[in-house]
Amino acid sequence: ASRPELVIVGVKTAALEGALNELRARFDDRLLVVGLQNGIEVLRILPAIFPRSALAIVHFNAWPDAPGLYGVQKRGPLLVVPMPTTSDEETRFVADTLADATTASRARKARDAVLCKMVVNLAGSLQTLLALHTRPPDDLDALQWLLSSMMAEGVRTLKAAGVSEVKVPGTPPWLVMELAATLPRPLVRPLFVANLRKMKKSSLAQDVERGVTDTEIDAIHGELVRLADAHGVEVPVMRTVLRLLEPRLTQRPFQPMQASEVAREARKG
């Protein structure tokens, strides 16, 4: 078969290696491939199978409305990061191609970019545990404390690990995440409520609805907790949400919790 100029692979991280091996068997390892996955493990898998590859980090929500029909929260942006053996020209070609459909920019430090996105993904863990895509929180103050504390824990973890911030339009910068956890909650509540209304169904919540049990929770949330442990960072909220959510992801029907319940568990330490 003739080799296409570019192939975009959109499977979940757990299925990535198998999908890439199928592509390599059909074509060869000279194919230029773009992955759309989350998690630090992608940085090992992609270049090992396709040296000419890049990762396009997706900073917006999408969901299936019907077979072959997808909705998006707001199209863009994509952050394109090359693998070590991908040339600048190839990276520019990937970014220019993706820019035909949405906004795309480039970053150099792949690990930093991936880890920064993983902190943003923490919100999806809490949304899924509380089923916020289907019902309002029972305690808005508890929810605000949980979410702001967890995001700040993620930022502290990355700083301790020597990660540089990779800023993306539309994504709160680290300073805002840290201030949200330290300023009086009533003061920043209007902004919190406005952002809460923008929150759409996360990919993790979509997995739960579809009955998927092989989720990315360990590759994203679990990896950040392990990184915190490795650098001596206390992350009680991150750890509590992971402990409460992980076993529920394999149970059917899924049993969500209330924000007040999770907050009580997290404050136990």
Side-chain angles (χ1 to χ4, degrees), residues 15 20 29 50 70 78 95 113 123 130 137 143 175 203 262 269:
L20 293 180
D29 64 0
F50 287 103
Y70 292 84
L78 297 174
L130 303 181
L143 174 60
L175 179 60
S203 61
V262 179

Side-chain angles (χ1 to χ4, degrees), residues 93-201:
F93 173 72
V94 169
D96 290 346
T97 301
L98 294 174
D100 288 341
T102 185
T103 56
S105 57
R106 289 182 289 160
R108 298 302 310 172
K109 296 181 178 180
R111 179 175 178 271
D112 289 358
V114 169
L115 286 168
C116 287
K117 173 63 190 318
M118 287 165 61
V119 169
V120 175
N121 285 131
L122 290 172
S125 296
L126 187 60
Q127 182 204 52
T128 303
L129 178 60
L130 303 181
L132 293 178
H133 56 291
T134 64
R135 62 182 188 177
D138 72 318
D139 186 330
L140 188 61
D141 187 70
L143 174 60
Q144 184 179 352
W145 176 77
L146 286 166
L147 188 56
S148 60
S149 298
M150 187 166 61
M151 304 300 276
E153 289 173 0
V155 170
R156 288 198 298 272
T157 298
L158 297 196
K159 285 184 173 181
V163 174
S164 298
E165 182 177 9
V166 178
K167 295 182 179 179
V168 177
T171 299
W174 285 2
L175 179 60
V176 170
M177 294 185 192
E178 292 174 307
L179 286 175
T182 55
L183 291 173
R185 287 195 292 280
L187 181 65
V188 294
R189 184 154 299 148
L191 180 61
F192 172 77
V193 171
N195 287 327
L196 189 64
R197 290 192 182 119
K198 298 176 186 176
M199 189 180 290
K200 302 297 183 181
K201 190 189 305 179

Side-chain angles (χ1 to χ4, degrees), residues 8-30:
I8 300 173
V9 181
V11 299
K12 288 296 187 86
T13 304
L16 177 62
E17 194 161 3
L20 293 180
N21 281 326
E22 286 186 29
L23 276 174
R24 186 172 62 179
R26 180 168 182 177
F27 301 104
D28 54 47
D29 64 0
R30 291 175 293 171

Side-chain angles (χ1 to χ4, degrees), residues 233-253:
V233 180
E234 294 294 325
V235 289
V237 179
M238 277 173 54
R239 193 182 306 278
T240 299
V241 171
L242 179 65
R243 174 176 61 83
L244 296 173
L245 175 59
E246 204 162 24
R248 283 174 165 77
L249 293 175
T250 58
Q251 298 170 359
R252 294 295 179 271

